Amino acid sequence: MRELLRVASGDAVDLAAVDPRSTPGLPDRQVTGEDRKAWARTQVELLGAGLGRHQEMLFASAKAPAGPAPSGPAAGRRVLLVLQAMDSGGKDGTIKRVAGAMNPLGLHIRSFGPPTKRELAHDFLWRIRRALPAAGYVGVFNRSHYEDVLVARVESLVPEATWRARYDQINAFERELADDGLTLVKVMLHISHEEQGKRLLARLDDPRKHWKYNPGDVDARARWNDYQAAYAEALGRCDTDAAPWFLVPADRKWYRDWAVAHLLRETFDTLGLGYPAATFDVRRERERLLGTRGPVKVNGR
Ligand code: AMP
Ligand code: MG
């Protein structure tokens, strides 16, 4: 899936060439319709269990054992899933279903909204650096520094020269993270204009979903083509081997979850994780444990 969904780097990715309803990589022996969906949902649960095991190994290897501290990239090993999408593109749903399969203890989930006054007083990567997962953790970013070449560009929040210079800044930043042991998995959830319309309407038509609706979403929707162009260029310019971009067709939620779970699973596999060896004499500790006596009696009780 990492090969199949990886974008082609260059000036701009051809988003229009990827059908948001398509299901690349889904084994075609799978029956159609509801059954396909049920199959994918079951697979996500199975994959989720595997993700959980890998996450535990990552967490365990970062628990500093006694002795000399390890150095080099392996010392700060962590994973960061970056999720970007248009409004209602499924970022929250993916976090719930895919990240939700892992142990909350080892997760580090952050969302990025419009920068605060304090954040604006710094460069755009400042708040991102502060939100990075520590060694041993799996981080998930719901939006990211890419907003600074997406909304910032479409809404002309900064001059063109400023957002253009950010592609190189982002690439240098991500290279630095990779060298520091952070494995990036950047995913754009690709939905169609039509599907977004349906999802936003569903939010309006169900009072239990009003909290998810933001009138600003319609303004962003009105600039759909501008956003697609901004995404296309950001993905093309910032797809590197150190920090690849993946394009996941996301009109079908079950496929989206299945694909992202696979991407994470394959990413974990490249890390060659294992459980760390004990830093104590296991046999001796066993003897000591079995040799412990019951509670000491006080005053004969
Ligand atoms: P939501 O993800 O629905 O909570 O919306 C978050 C909002 O914050 C979106 O409208 C984003 O475009 C906006 N946002 C996130 N990062 C930035 C940024 N760096 N500059 C401006 N707006 C941003
Ligand atoms: Mg929103």
Side-chain angles (χ1 to χ4, degrees), residues 112-115 127 143 147-148 151 157:
F112 295 95
R127 65 175 184 164
R143 302 188 191 268
E147 290 293 328
D148 294 282
V151 64
L157 302 180

Side-chain angles (χ1 to χ4, degrees), residues 45-257:
E45 274 168 37
L46 294 174
L47 281 163
L51 291 180
R53 274 192 300 278
H54 279 89
Q55 179 202 24
E56 186 176 74
M57 289 190 271
L58 186 70
F59 194 75
S61 3
K63 277 202 96 182
S71 60
R77 204 145 62 171
R78 51 231 156 104
V79 172
L80 176 60
L81 172 67
V82 168
L83 292 173
Q84 282 289 160
M86 295 293 288
D87 295 304
S88 81
K91 300 183 295 295
D92 292 344
T94 305
I95 292 173
K96 184 171 163 182
R97 300 247 182 198
V98 181
M102 289 182 265
N103 186 344
L105 191 65
L107 284 175
H108 179 94
I109 303 173
R110 291 292 178 276
S111 298
F112 295 95
T116 60
K117 240 181 162 171
R118 183 166 181 233
E119 287 167 349
L120 281 173
H122 296 83
D123 80 281
F124 76 105
L125 293 172
W126 181 76
R127 65 175 184 164
I128 304 297
R129 289 182 188 278
R130 291 162 54 94
L132 293 170
Y137 285 79
V138 175
V140 183
F141 278 4
N142 178 345
R143 302 188 191 268
S144 64
H145 43 302
Y146 281 92
E147 290 293 328
D148 294 282
V149 290
L150 296 167
V151 64
R153 164 181 174 161
V154 174
E155 297 295 336
S156 303
L157 302 180
V158 293
E160 173 162 357
T162 304
W163 59 255
R164 268 208 181 277
R166 287 177 177 166
Y167 296 132
D168 286 345
Q169 291 163 10
I170 289 175
N171 288 338
F173 169 63
E174 293 181 348
R175 170 84 255 170
E176 180 196 318
L177 296 181
D179 290 344
D180 194 33
L182 189 146
T183 303
L184 267 163
V185 185
K186 301 182 294 187
V187 173
M188 177 194 178
L189 305 174
H190 181 44
I191 56 162
S192 63
H193 187 257
E194 188 193 359
E195 178 69 17
Q196 188 195 46
K198 280 189 202 158
R199 291 185 189 178
L200 291 179
L201 200 58
R203 289 179 182 184
L204 281 175
D205 290 347
D206 182 348
R208 289 168 306 180
K209 290 185 176 174
H210 285 173
W211 64 275
K212 289 192 194 181
Y213 186 84
N214 174 355
D217 294 351
V218 175
D219 302 311
R221 177 172 169 78
R223 313 210 54 181
W224 183 271
N225 289 343
D226 294 339
Y227 271 104
Q228 295 294 301
Y231 266 104
E233 196 169 351
L235 267 58
R237 295 204 183 273
C238 299
D239 169 72
T240 61
D241 286 337
W245 262 113
F246 302 98
L247 187 62
V248 171
D251 272 11
R252 300 176 197 265
K253 295 175 180 173
W254 53 265
Y255 172 77
R256 169 200 79 198
D257 295 337

Side-chain angles (χ1 to χ4, degrees), residues 279-299:
T279 53
F280 44 84
D281 182 339
V282 179
R283 260 178 66 180
R284 197 179 114 73
E285 287 306 309
R286 222 176 163 274
E287 279 162 18
R288 264 175 16 100
L289 174 67
L290 295 176
T292 48
R293 287 181 295 162
V296 179
K297 288 186 177 161
V298 180
N299 293 339

